Amino acid sequence: MPSIPVLKTLLREAVTREQVPRVPEPDLVMDDPAKVAAFTRAGREDGVMAPVYLFHTAQVCEIIKPGDTVVDLGCGPATQLGMIARLNPDCEFLGVDFSDEMLDRARAHVEDQGLTNVRFQKSDMSRLDFLADASADAVYSTVALHHLPDVEALYRTFSEAGRILRPGGGVYIVDFGRLKAKKSIEYFAYQYADRQPELFTLDYLYSLNAAFTVDEFRHATRTSLEGRARVYRTFIAPFMVAVKSPVRRQVPAEITEQLTEIRRNLPKHHQVDVKDLVSWFGMGGLSTQALS
């Protein structure tokens, strides 16, 4: 079961009549060096976002196969991409981002990791003209869609993902969902304010305010990925929403063992966060094979 404070927040969401409007991110492209640095630090494998990245890495490992060409939309500083590429050395990865500052950090990160199966391309994730139709075996995006300016850009992004994906390919697209109550948004934004830079806390608040609704995710999926993926949401309230294709492989034991080791080495409070994510999504119908 989710931890008590989180459960209380989700229950508030289930009964409130409030509905805050979407507020787009103040910086649609994160190029400010201080903000990028705060986001990068919080997102590294020992940072405050570590449980989220571990969960999403496990999910992505289920929808890719050896030999795949995999596209990461909104790769940021490549923390997530680096984890996935390291665990799947037989795949080729393309990270797409529109921020020069992020891409500089991403290139430095994969170089530090010694990864040779990753390349990058500067591009708006909703306009992938440089990629041919059916040129990718898998497409994923983790916690990046809220940077889009409006719902039309969301729909274009899903359309582009569907266009470049080969028949039978894998999809995993996940982001925050629009919560209804201002108090709920503030709870999640400030949950770990004592463990992270203030700039990251503020960016997290902006991200939650800029999230899209479950219905918008459903419309995007129905329009562009019908029959190829389905929409999942965290139980009770859509703190996070995921769009995922059917599992394409049994995750190999060696990858499961590495994920388990990463989880074991997390601080106790982060292990609770991983458990919460597995529980919330599990009760919403999305299993996590490699972290069960």
Side-chain angles (χ1 to χ4, degrees):
M1 287 292 294
S3 56
I4 298 301
V6 172
L7 187 57
K8 287 181 178 179
T9 301
L10 297 181
L11 288 173
R12 180 196 303 117
E13 282 293 299
V15 301
T16 187
R17 295 182 179 180
E18 182 180 359
Q19 179 59 75
V20 295
R22 180 177 191 256
V23 180
E25 289 260 10
D27 299 316
L28 295 177
V29 178
M30 191 185 290
D31 264 330
D32 179 81
K35 291 183 179 180
V36 171
F39 179 85
T40 301
R41 180 67 194 91
R44 291 309 186 206
E45 293 180 36
D46 59 346
V48 71
M49 289 290 287
V52 176
Y53 284 139
L54 176 60
F55 178 85
H56 297 323
T57 295
Q59 291 289 336
V60 173
C61 285
E62 295 183 1
I63 57 96
I64 61 178
K65 296 179 178 181
D68 277 357
T69 296
V70 184
V71 179
D72 179 341
L73 300 179
C75 67
T79 302
Q80 183 83 83
L81 175 51
M83 287 182 71
I84 297 168
R86 189 173 72 243
L87 291 168
N88 297 274
D90 295 330
C91 294
E92 293 295 324
F93 294 87
L94 172 64
V96 177
D97 205 280
F98 205 51
S99 165
D100 289 318
E101 185 75 18
M102 284 292 191
L103 289 173
D104 287 345
R105 288 180 179 267
R107 293 185 180 98
H109 181 59
V110 299
E111 184 176 348
D112 288 344
Q113 295 276 305
L115 298 171
T116 59
N117 59 335
V118 182
R119 60 190 178 91
F120 296 97
Q121 175 71 44
K122 180 180 179 180
S123 179
D124 179 342
M125 72 175 80
S126 69
R127 301 186 187 281
L128 304 175
D129 299 341
F130 64 97
L131 290 172
D133 294 359
S135 58
D137 298 291
V139 178
Y140 74 87
S141 179
T142 57
V143 199
L145 298 178
H146 59 271
H147 288 289
L148 294 169
D150 51 42
V151 72
E152 293 306 318
L154 176 74
Y155 297 157
R156 287 197 307 272
T157 298
F158 271 67
S159 177
E160 285 290 80
R163 179 184 66 79
I164 68 172
L165 191 65
R166 293 187 178 120
V171 178
Y172 182 69
I173 300 175
V174 64
D175 202 357
F176 303 116
R178 180 95 57 80
L179 295 172
K180 293 188 288 185
K182 181 180 178 181
K183 191 172 181 180
S184 300
I185 290 174
E186 290 177 346
Y187 167 78
F188 283 115
Y190 290 94
Q191 186 179 15
Y192 298 129
D194 60 335
R195 304 175 193 163
Q196 62 198 29
E198 183 180 4
L199 278 174
F200 182 81
T201 299
L202 289 174
D203 183 66
Y204 194 8
L205 177 64
Y206 298 148
S207 299
L208 293 173
N209 280 318
F212 294 100
T213 67
V214 176
D215 285 343
E216 288 164 343
F217 275 94
R218 286 175 177 152
H219 179 80
T221 303
R222 184 170 58 250
T223 302
S224 299
L225 294 169
E226 181 71 29
R228 306 169 83 177
R230 60 170 289 192
V231 179
Y232 301 89
R233 44 171 284 181
T234 47
F235 184 60
I236 301 178
F239 168 66
M240 298 201 86
V241 182
V243 176
K244 188 180 179 185
S245 61
V247 172
R248 295 177 68 224
R249 67 163 176 176
Q250 179 78 29
V251 178
E254 58 268 24
I255 293 180
T256 300
E257 290 167 4
Q258 290 179 71
L259 292 171
T260 300
E261 183 66 16
I262 294 171
R263 181 177 185 174
R264 187 182 297 120
N265 290 330
L266 291 174
K268 292 296 184 182
H269 57 273
H270 281 173
Q271 293 185 33
V272 171
D273 290 342
V274 175
K275 182 180 178 182
D276 279 349
L277 277 170
V278 172
S279 297
W280 305 339
F281 267 121
M283 289 185 287
L286 179 63
S287 63
T288 314
Q289 174 193 118
L291 289 176
S292 58

